[in-house]
Structures are given as C-alpha cells and as structure tokens.
Amino acid sequence: NIKAYNLSAFLYLNFIELQSEIANSNFAGYISRDSKGDFTKGFWIEGNKGEQTYLMNPYGDYKKYVLNQLEQVLDTYDFDGIFLDRLDYSNNNYDYLFSSRPSSIVQYYDIASKRSFINIMDNYEVLLKAVSEKVHSRGKLLIINWPRSQNLIQYSDAVTIDISDSDSRQYYPLFNNLVSSSFDKPVYIFPVPTPFDGRPDLTEEDV
C-alpha cells in the first residue's frame, strides 16, 4: 500500500487514443481520419498489435463508453486522482514525434462531420468537462498531460508535460507558455530518461 509511505496514487487514463482492434470492432464511426480518408494513427508500433492506436472523436457512443469506464474505475479502486494523457492532439497542425509517423505536418479530419481535428477537440473539451465533474465529485484530483489549449487547463488541478533530453529545447517555449497560462496551477515536467520502441530516434547520447 503506497499510502503507507505517504505517497499518492493516480490512475492513468487516455481517452483520445483507442487500441486499433477495439476501435475497428466497436467504434469505427468515431475514428479520426486524415484528408485521404485513412484512419489516423496515434501511438503506433508496426508489428505489435497491442501497441497500435487510432485517434478518436470523443462524442456519442464513444463518449458514453469512456465515461462508463471512468465510473467503473471510480467505483472500484482506492486512489487519489486521475492522470489524463494525450491532450497534445488538440493542435490540428501537430505532427506526432514518433518516427513511424510521416515527417510532414498533418491535419486530422472526421469524415462523417467533415470537421478538422481542431474542431473535434471541441468535443474533447466537452468530454474533459464531464470527466472533471465526475472526478471532482468524488473528491479526487485531475492532472492533465500536454494540454495545447488554455481552455482545457481550467478543468484540471495540475498540468504536466513529459519530454526527453532530445526534445527539451523545442519544448521549453511551450512549457513557459503553460506556466504563464496555467491559472496558477502546478506545472510539472516528467523527464523521459530512456528510449523505447516507439522512439528509435533516441540515441544513448540523448539518454
């Protein structure tokens, strides 16, 4: 029991990415697509189905699904708060850093609504507000990672960013911006000290 050591327990959740097989089987209509109509990949390691995700448009049945998951977590486990990841997709010109993704700037689309991903993030803000209300109603904290919009920060209790040594220079301006726009809420940096399969570009020197 980590609380015996005066530590706080936070559960990790990620509602913007969904494992590809589950997305295809149950929520294909809610998968974001690129301008060619292809499903938009999130974290994706070729040859490893357990590490392949699609970016989701969080509304309708998919929104109900993730909120139901949250309710089950809140009802089942004893913890102090939620760590909500992957808010960095809120920038429609954001090109994912993993080398398996195209190097050019991409935009994300939802074919059904013909809306770009920056507008899909309107749905994510609505979802985040609902998540915040549920989490705070249970007396728990909500930490969000990599928010690219000040609108999202207002629903959280703290903000985090995770960076590697090789990323640090390009992300310092963003970090400074987060600090200045965080409504005086804590902002934490999570260093990533080791390379992993999704970031083969990290060398030993980077680490």
Side-chain angles (χ1 to χ4, degrees), residues 83-90 94 97 144-149 152 159-164 167 170-172 174-175 178 190:
F83 177 85
L84 191 59
D85 200 4
R86 298 268 49 139
L87 276 76
D88 42 339
Y89 288 120
S90 59
Y94 177 66
L97 295 174
I144 59 176
N145 192 40
W146 274 114
R148 292 297 183 98
S149 166
L152 303 181
V159 175
T160 63
I161 61 174
D162 52 274
I163 61 175
S164 69
D167 297 332
Q170 73 178 91
Y171 286 133
Y172 280 148
L174 176 58
F175 172 75
L178 280 176
F190 288 163

Side-chain angles (χ1 to χ4, degrees), residues 137-153:
S137 71
R138 303 293 186 95
K140 301 184 185 300
L141 300 173
L142 178 63
I143 296 177
I144 59 176
N145 192 40
W146 274 114
R148 292 297 183 98
S149 166
Q150 189 176 18
N151 290 342
L152 303 181
I153 296 175

